[in-house]
Amino acid sequence: MQQFLMIAAAHFLALLSPGPDFFLIARTSLSAGWRIASGACLGIAIANGVFIVAAFAGTAVLRPDTTVFVVLQLAGCAYLLYIGALFVRCAGSNDLRGAASVGRDAPLTHPLVAWRRAAGMGFVSGILNPKNALFYASLAAMLTGPHASEGWKALYGTWMFSVVLLYDLAIAVLIGHQRVLRRFARMLPWLERISGLILILLALGVITVLLLR
């Protein structure tokens, strides 16, 4: 359970820092409403699901304690250190309010057509983001012992897919409220710094365990 909480926490913390997917959801919600933006949320979640399945299937053929698996774990830790340092160094550099000025006068489209279009854009945004592939590969590489079983991987995959979808839907609903947007913008630099430090500590902890084996 401890390993599950660590990986689940690392996954959620990485969601807090806005990226291309966040701004797509924000712009769609502000211009067309959260119901249309929910299509983008589902597309992004499906793209993440593709990376989750690929990452877990890739490590399924590797046995724990082999050199290849250890190298993969170290590479995953290196990536977590990288994005953790990036969060700390670039904290506060994202302009959330810029998303609010985009697309307010978008032409009217049939809701179902607009929803499908948003879903397609969300999937493309998620699947073309190389950071998603690297991030899930790094998390999958940390699964050891009983947690590397097919049952645990299914649990991890279901949890991560659900968290991505629910978090993005929450963003789509809340982002239309300017008061919420302003408060989140004020909190974001501290959230990014704290998230970055925790990801760095998580990676260092896994490296320490590997060195002490």
Side-chain angles (χ1 to χ4, degrees):
M1 182 58 69
Q2 183 179 4
Q3 188 177 75
F4 175 83
L5 293 176
M6 289 174 59
I7 293 179
H11 177 248
F12 181 73
L13 289 170
L15 291 177
L16 295 179
S17 183
D21 296 344
F22 180 94
F23 287 101
L24 173 63
I25 295 170
R27 292 184 179 113
T28 306
S29 181
L30 289 166
S31 63
W34 73 267
R35 290 178 178 83
I36 302 301
S38 68
C41 297
L42 181 60
I44 291 167
I46 292 174
N48 277 258
V50 171
F51 286 126
I52 291 169
V53 171
F56 288 170
T59 57
V61 298
L62 300 175
R63 292 182 294 104
D65 300 325
T66 62
T67 301
V68 176
F69 193 78
V70 172
V71 169
L72 184 60
Q73 286 182 302
L74 291 174
C77 290
Y79 181 68
L80 289 183
L81 287 172
Y82 168 73
I83 62 173
L86 196 65
F87 280 10
V88 174
R89 183 168 60 87
C90 299
S93 61
N94 290 298
D95 184 12
L96 301 184
R97 286 164 294 190
S101 62
V102 178
R104 288 189 179 276
D105 298 321
L108 293 177
T109 307
H110 190 280
L112 183 58
V113 174
W115 188 91
R116 289 175 177 173
R117 184 180 300 166
M121 291 175 63
F123 180 80
V124 171
S125 174
I127 208 71
L128 293 181
N129 188 349
K131 290 184 178 180
N132 287 339
L134 292 172
F135 180 69
Y136 286 114
S138 67
L139 291 183
M142 294 184 179
L143 300 181
T144 57
H147 287 260
S149 67
E150 296 301 321
W152 272 104
K153 288 180 179 179
L155 177 61
Y156 278 112
T158 302
W159 172 267
M160 291 177 183
F161 177 87
S162 301
V163 168
V164 170
L165 180 58
L166 293 175
Y167 177 77
D168 287 348
L169 285 172
I171 292 298
V173 172
L174 295 175
I175 204 70
H177 298 276
Q178 292 300 311
R179 183 179 299 177
V180 174
L181 183 62
R182 287 194 297 269
R183 288 182 178 177
F184 189 75
R186 287 196 297 267
M187 293 172 56
L188 183 60
W190 288 105
L191 287 174
E192 289 182 315
R193 291 187 184 98
I194 294 171
S195 300
L197 289 174
I198 292 177
L199 290 175
I200 290 172
L201 290 174
L202 174 62
L204 292 177
V206 173
I207 292 173
T208 301
V209 171
L210 290 175
L211 293 176
L212 294 178
R213 281 182 179 177

